[in-house]
PDB file of all heavy atoms in Angstrom:
ATOM      1  N   ASN A 286      -6.236  -2.276 -10.054  1.00 91.00           N
ATOM      2  CA  ASN A 286      -6.605  -1.713  -8.752  1.00 91.00           C
ATOM      3  C   ASN A 286      -7.071  -0.282  -9.014  1.00 91.00           C
ATOM      4  O   ASN A 286      -6.279   0.513  -9.524  1.00 91.00           O
ATOM      5  CB  ASN A 286      -5.405  -1.713  -7.817  1.00 91.00           C
ATOM      6  CG  ASN A 286      -5.685  -1.037  -6.486  1.00 91.00           C
ATOM      7  OD1 ASN A 286      -6.820  -0.742  -6.144  1.00 91.00           O
ATOM      8  ND2 ASN A 286      -4.637  -0.764  -5.725  1.00 91.00           N
ATOM      9  N   PRO A 287      -8.338   0.045  -8.766  1.00 89.00           N
ATOM     10  CA  PRO A 287      -9.334  -0.669  -7.936  1.00 89.00           C
ATOM     11  C   PRO A 287     -10.278  -1.586  -8.701  1.00 89.00           C
ATOM     12  O   PRO A 287     -11.214  -2.123  -8.119  1.00 89.00           O
ATOM     13  CB  PRO A 287     -10.142   0.503  -7.368  1.00 89.00           C
ATOM     14  CG  PRO A 287     -10.190   1.485  -8.499  1.00 89.00           C
ATOM     15  CD  PRO A 287      -8.828   1.397  -9.156  1.00 89.00           C
ATOM     16  N   THR A 288     -10.062  -1.751 -10.005  1.00 90.00           N
ATOM     17  CA  THR A 288     -11.108  -2.297 -10.871  1.00 90.00           C
ATOM     18  C   THR A 288     -11.116  -3.810 -10.998  1.00 90.00           C
ATOM     19  O   THR A 288     -12.096  -4.382 -11.475  1.00 90.00           O
ATOM     20  CB  THR A 288     -10.987  -1.655 -12.262  1.00 90.00           C
ATOM     21  OG1 THR A 288      -9.588  -1.605 -12.624  1.00 90.00           O
ATOM     22  CG2 THR A 288     -11.515  -0.234 -12.248  1.00 90.00           C
ATOM     23  N   GLY A 289     -10.026  -4.500 -10.640  1.00 89.00           N
ATOM     24  CA  GLY A 289     -10.036  -5.957 -10.583  1.00 89.00           C
ATOM     25  C   GLY A 289     -10.026  -6.674 -11.918  1.00 89.00           C
ATOM     26  O   GLY A 289     -10.262  -7.885 -11.963  1.00 89.00           O
ATOM     27  N   GLN A 290      -9.760  -5.958 -13.017  1.00 91.00           N
ATOM     28  CA  GLN A 290      -9.741  -6.632 -14.317  1.00 91.00           C
ATOM     29  C   GLN A 290      -8.364  -7.224 -14.588  1.00 91.00           C
ATOM     30  O   GLN A 290      -7.365  -6.792 -14.031  1.00 91.00           O
ATOM     31  CB  GLN A 290     -10.137  -5.666 -15.451  1.00 91.00           C
ATOM     32  CG  GLN A 290      -9.010  -4.822 -16.022  1.00 91.00           C
ATOM     33  CD  GLN A 290      -8.597  -3.684 -15.107  1.00 91.00           C
ATOM     34  OE1 GLN A 290      -9.084  -3.542 -13.994  1.00 91.00           O
ATOM     35  NE2 GLN A 290      -7.685  -2.840 -15.581  1.00 91.00           N
ATOM     36  N   VAL A 291      -8.328  -8.234 -15.469  1.00 93.00           N
ATOM     37  CA  VAL A 291      -7.071  -8.824 -15.921  1.00 93.00           C
ATOM     38  C   VAL A 291      -6.988  -8.582 -17.423  1.00 93.00           C
ATOM     39  O   VAL A 291      -7.840  -9.054 -18.176  1.00 93.00           O
ATOM     40  CB  VAL A 291      -7.008 -10.338 -15.609  1.00 93.00           C
ATOM     41  CG1 VAL A 291      -5.696 -10.944 -16.115  1.00 93.00           C
ATOM     42  CG2 VAL A 291      -7.163 -10.582 -14.112  1.00 93.00           C
ATOM     43  N   GLN A 292      -5.968  -7.849 -17.854  1.00 92.00           N
ATOM     44  CA  GLN A 292      -5.879  -7.494 -19.266  1.00 92.00           C
ATOM     45  C   GLN A 292      -5.467  -8.702 -20.110  1.00 92.00           C
ATOM     46  O   GLN A 292      -4.641  -9.526 -19.694  1.00 92.00           O
ATOM     47  CB  GLN A 292      -4.876  -6.354 -19.478  1.00 92.00           C
ATOM     48  CG  GLN A 292      -5.209  -5.066 -18.728  1.00 92.00           C
ATOM     49  CD  GLN A 292      -6.491  -4.387 -19.205  1.00 92.00           C
ATOM     50  OE1 GLN A 292      -7.164  -4.865 -20.119  1.00 92.00           O
ATOM     51  NE2 GLN A 292      -6.838  -3.277 -18.574  1.00 92.00           N
ATOM     52  N   SER A 293      -6.040  -8.789 -21.302  1.00 92.00           N
ATOM     53  CA  SER A 293      -5.732  -9.892 -22.209  1.00 92.00           C
ATOM     54  C   SER A 293      -4.350  -9.708 -22.833  1.00 92.00           C
ATOM     55  O   SER A 293      -3.803  -8.605 -22.864  1.00 92.00           O
ATOM     56  CB  SER A 293      -6.782  -9.961 -23.322  1.00 92.00           C
ATOM     57  OG  SER A 293      -6.658  -8.811 -24.172  1.00 92.00           O
ATOM     58  N   ARG A 294      -3.813 -10.783 -23.353  1.00 93.00           N
ATOM     59  CA  ARG A 294      -2.517 -10.691 -24.042  1.00 93.00           C
ATOM     60  C   ARG A 294      -2.608  -9.748 -25.234  1.00 93.00           C
ATOM     61  O   ARG A 294      -1.686  -8.958 -25.484  1.00 93.00           O
ATOM     62  CB  ARG A 294      -2.064 -12.082 -24.488  1.00 93.00           C
ATOM     63  CG  ARG A 294      -0.697 -12.031 -25.152  1.00 93.00           C
ATOM     64  CD  ARG A 294      -0.299 -13.327 -25.829  1.00 93.00           C
ATOM     65  NE  ARG A 294       0.911 -13.099 -26.609  1.00 93.00           N
ATOM     66  CZ  ARG A 294       2.145 -13.269 -26.154  1.00 93.00           C
ATOM     67  NH1 ARG A 294       2.334 -13.699 -24.924  1.00 93.00           N
ATOM     68  NH2 ARG A 294       3.180 -13.013 -26.930  1.00 93.00           N
ATOM     69  N   LYS A 295      -3.705  -9.827 -25.977  1.00 94.00           N
ATOM     70  CA  LYS A 295      -3.882  -8.948 -27.145  1.00 94.00           C
ATOM     71  C   LYS A 295      -3.838  -7.486 -26.723  1.00 94.00           C
ATOM     72  O   LYS A 295      -3.213  -6.643 -27.390  1.00 94.00           O
ATOM     73  CB  LYS A 295      -5.228  -9.267 -27.808  1.00 94.00           C
ATOM     74  CG  LYS A 295      -5.634  -8.315 -28.933  1.00 94.00           C
ATOM     75  CD  LYS A 295      -4.704  -8.450 -30.135  1.00 94.00           C
ATOM     76  CE  LYS A 295      -5.254  -7.779 -31.387  1.00 94.00           C
ATOM     77  NZ  LYS A 295      -5.544  -6.368 -31.252  1.00 94.00           N
ATOM     78  N   CYS A 296      -4.480  -7.171 -25.600  1.00 93.00           N
ATOM     79  CA  CYS A 296      -4.469  -5.797 -25.089  1.00 93.00           C
ATOM     80  C   CYS A 296      -3.042  -5.357 -24.762  1.00 93.00           C
ATOM     81  O   CYS A 296      -2.626  -4.247 -25.112  1.00 93.00           O
ATOM     82  CB  CYS A 296      -5.353  -5.692 -23.856  1.00 93.00           C
ATOM     83  SG  CYS A 296      -5.263  -4.107 -23.027  1.00 93.00           S
ATOM     84  N   ILE A 297      -2.274  -6.238 -24.112  1.00 95.00           N
ATOM     85  CA  ILE A 297      -0.901  -5.900 -23.737  1.00 95.00           C
ATOM     86  C   ILE A 297      -0.049  -5.687 -24.984  1.00 95.00           C
ATOM     87  O   ILE A 297       0.760  -4.756 -25.050  1.00 95.00           O
ATOM     88  CB  ILE A 297      -0.323  -6.986 -22.813  1.00 95.00           C
ATOM     89  CG1 ILE A 297      -1.068  -6.975 -21.476  1.00 95.00           C
ATOM     90  CG2 ILE A 297       1.180  -6.791 -22.586  1.00 95.00           C
ATOM     91  CD1 ILE A 297      -0.742  -8.130 -20.559  1.00 95.00           C
ATOM     92  N   GLU A 298      -0.225  -6.531 -25.985  1.00 96.00           N
ATOM     93  CA  GLU A 298       0.497  -6.344 -27.242  1.00 96.00           C
ATOM     94  C   GLU A 298       0.168  -4.986 -27.860  1.00 96.00           C
ATOM     95  O   GLU A 298       1.065  -4.266 -28.331  1.00 96.00           O
ATOM     96  CB  GLU A 298       0.134  -7.460 -28.227  1.00 96.00           C
ATOM     97  CG  GLU A 298       0.711  -8.814 -27.875  1.00 96.00           C
ATOM     98  CD  GLU A 298       0.263  -9.886 -28.851  1.00 96.00           C
ATOM     99  OE1 GLU A 298      -0.604  -9.601 -29.719  1.00 96.00           O
ATOM    100  OE2 GLU A 298       0.760 -11.022 -28.750  1.00 96.00           O
ATOM    101  N   ASP A 299      -1.121  -4.634 -27.868  1.00 95.00           N
ATOM    102  CA  ASP A 299      -1.539  -3.352 -28.437  1.00 95.00           C
ATOM    103  C   ASP A 299      -0.917  -2.180 -27.676  1.00 95.00           C
ATOM    104  O   ASP A 299      -0.502  -1.184 -28.279  1.00 95.00           O
ATOM    105  CB  ASP A 299      -3.066  -3.235 -28.409  1.00 95.00           C
ATOM    106  CG  ASP A 299      -3.755  -4.187 -29.377  1.00 95.00           C
ATOM    107  OD1 ASP A 299      -3.062  -4.724 -30.269  1.00 95.00           O
ATOM    108  OD2 ASP A 299      -4.980  -4.391 -29.230  1.00 95.00           O
ATOM    109  N   VAL A 300      -0.861  -2.302 -26.353  1.00 95.00           N
ATOM    110  CA  VAL A 300      -0.287  -1.232 -25.532  1.00 95.00           C
ATOM    111  C   VAL A 300       1.210  -1.095 -25.809  1.00 95.00           C
ATOM    112  O   VAL A 300       1.730   0.022 -25.930  1.00 95.00           O
ATOM    113  CB  VAL A 300      -0.548  -1.501 -24.034  1.00 95.00           C
ATOM    114  CG1 VAL A 300       0.291  -0.571 -23.155  1.00 95.00           C
ATOM    115  CG2 VAL A 300      -2.026  -1.338 -23.720  1.00 95.00           C
TER     116      VAL A 300
END
Side-chain angles (χ1 to χ4, degrees):
N286 175 12
T288 43
Q290 85 285 4
V291 179
Q292 301 294 0
S293 68
R294 182 190 171 91
K295 173 67 166 58
C296 173
I297 293 171
E298 288 177 353
D299 291 345
V300 168

